[in-house]
């Protein structure tokens, strides 16, 4: 049996010896005597317990050393955890910046792709617009009379219709400026005509059709714009004006 296992038995024996050594008359004595004897007996018991607890006290010191070592290790682990947490936060911040940069790059790439697609469409469609113009001139100027001419006319107008449908699918739309106010962003004034039928600055006629691709202008519409007529000066007003100039 080890010293630690023997200690409770020793303590119990000491307590039994202390109690058994107490004379029976002590319990019948006066209260002061009983109290004095009890205190002395308790002191002796405590001293006996302290003597027997010396090995336990030494064992507790060893435990204290072990506990101190554990505390130091715990502090070291805590410092390591704080360091790793800081590294994790730094890595997280770097990842967030990289994710934001990648998102900006992705959006910029998509915008550039859309711009390139629109530019490519614009270049191709611009080359096809003169073909569309020729079909429209043929439709307005040619007047088929024979059955053969009518068949040819119907044939190339079918081609014209197919071409226009393809342009519409690509997002191309024709301008309809007649009767609208002149806008230099969409129109190009080729002629000016004095008239009282339209307000000043109104597009009277479209000489060459303009086209847009979405919000992109493929070609400005060439138009004729209304301007007010000059005031009519009568002979009397003219003579009066000449007299004022000579006077």
């Amino acid at each position: 049996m080890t010293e630690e296992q023997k200690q409770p038995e020793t303590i119990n024996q000491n307590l039994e010896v202390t109690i058994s050594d107490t004379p029976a008359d002590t319990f019948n004595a006066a209260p002061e005597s009983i109290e004095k004897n009890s205190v002395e007996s308790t002191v002796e018991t405590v001293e006996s317990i302290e003597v027997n607890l010396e090995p336990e006290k030494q064992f507790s010191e060893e435990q204290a050393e072990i506990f101190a070592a554990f505390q130091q290790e715990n502090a070291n682990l805590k410092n390591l955890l704080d360091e790793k947490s800081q590294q994790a936060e730094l890595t997280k911040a770097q990842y967030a910046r990289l994710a934001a940069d990648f998102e900006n790059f992705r959006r910029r790439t998509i915008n550039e792709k859309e711009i390139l697609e629109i530019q490519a469409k614009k270049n191709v469609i611009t080359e096809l617009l003169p073909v569309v113009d020729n079909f429209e001139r043929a439709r307005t100027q040619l007047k088929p009379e024979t059955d053969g001419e009518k068949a040819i006319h119907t044939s190339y107008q079918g081609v014209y219709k197919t071409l226009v449908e393809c342009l519409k699918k690509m997002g191309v739309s024709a301008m309809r400026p007649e009767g609208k106010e002149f806008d230099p962003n969409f129109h190009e004034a080729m002629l000016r005509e004095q008239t009282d039928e339209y307000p000043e600055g109104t597009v009277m006629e479209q000489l060459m059709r303009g086209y847009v691709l979405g919000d992109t202008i493929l070609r400005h519409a060439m138009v004729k714009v209304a301007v007010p007529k000059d005031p009519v000066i009568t002979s009397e007003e003219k003579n009066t004006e000449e007299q004022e100039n000579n006077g």
Side-chain angles (χ1 to χ4, degrees):
M1 184 180 296
T2 61
E3 293 296 331
E4 291 80 356
Q5 293 175 344
K6 292 179 181 179
Q7 287 175 9
E9 296 180 2
T10 305
I11 295 171
N12 292 333
Q13 292 175 0
N14 291 333
L15 291 175
E16 291 176 358
V17 170
T18 303
I19 294 172
S20 63
D21 292 343
T22 304
D25 296 339
T26 303
F27 296 99
N28 298 324
E32 294 179 358
S33 177
I34 293 173
E35 182 178 358
K36 182 177 180 182
N37 292 334
S38 299
V39 171
E40 291 176 354
S41 176
T42 302
V43 170
E44 292 176 358
T45 302
V46 170
E47 290 177 352
S48 176
I49 292 172
E50 289 178 352
V51 171
N52 291 314
L53 285 178
E54 284 300 325
E56 184 70 15
K57 185 176 180 181
Q58 295 176 1
F59 183 74
S60 298
E61 290 177 355
E62 294 177 0
Q63 287 182 331
E65 293 178 358
I66 296 174
F67 181 72
F70 275 119
Q71 282 184 325
Q72 183 63 35
E73 183 67 19
N74 186 34
N76 295 336
L77 292 175
K78 185 177 180 181
N79 293 333
L80 181 61
L81 178 62
D82 293 338
E83 181 180 354
K84 296 299 182 182
S85 298
Q86 293 177 358
Q87 292 178 357
E89 291 295 331
L90 179 60
T91 304
K92 184 178 179 181
Q94 291 176 348
Y95 172 78
R97 287 194 295 270
L98 288 175
D101 292 340
F102 176 77
E103 183 64 20
N104 294 332
F105 170 76
R106 187 182 68 83
R107 292 178 179 177
R108 185 169 59 252
T109 303
I110 292 174
N111 292 334
E112 292 176 353
K113 181 180 178 181
E114 291 177 352
I115 292 174
L116 290 175
E117 289 179 353
I118 293 174
Q119 187 63 38
K121 287 182 179 179
K122 181 179 178 180
N123 295 336
V124 173
I125 295 171
T126 302
E127 296 295 328
L128 293 176
L129 291 180
V131 179
V132 178
D133 295 336
N134 291 332
F135 275 114
E136 291 183 348
R137 291 192 190 97
R139 185 181 60 180
T140 57
Q141 295 177 3
L142 297 179
K143 304 297 182 182
E145 296 179 356
T146 64
D147 293 339
E149 292 176 350
K150 291 180 181 179
I152 296 174
H153 180 77
T154 303
S155 178
Y156 73 72
Q157 286 302 314
V159 176
Y160 166 70
K161 183 178 180 180
T162 303
L163 179 58
V164 171
E165 291 297 329
C166 292
L167 294 177
K168 287 181 179 180
K169 290 180 181 180
M170 295 176 67
V172 179
S173 59
M175 296 183 187
R176 307 291 180 184
E178 293 89 345
K180 296 181 181 179
E181 185 179 358
F182 176 80
D183 187 350
N185 294 320
F186 297 93
H187 311 146
E188 183 177 352
M190 303 300 295
L191 296 175
R192 297 179 184 273
E193 182 177 332
Q194 296 181 353
T195 180
D196 294 332
E197 297 180 3
Y198 297 92
E200 182 180 3
T202 302
V203 176
M204 298 176 59
E205 182 182 356
Q206 183 173 215
L207 304 177
M208 181 177 290
R209 192 177 302 281
Y211 293 91
V212 293
L213 176 63
D215 296 331
T216 304
I217 299 175
L218 296 174
R219 188 176 69 186
H220 289 74
M222 299 181 182
V223 297
K224 180 170 61 175
V225 183
V227 295
K229 288 184 177 182
D230 294 333
V232 179
I233 301 176
T234 62
S235 57
E236 295 180 358
E237 292 176 348
K238 186 176 180 179
N239 293 331
T240 303
E241 185 178 355
E242 290 178 355
Q243 291 175 3
E244 290 178 355
N245 292 333
N246 294 329

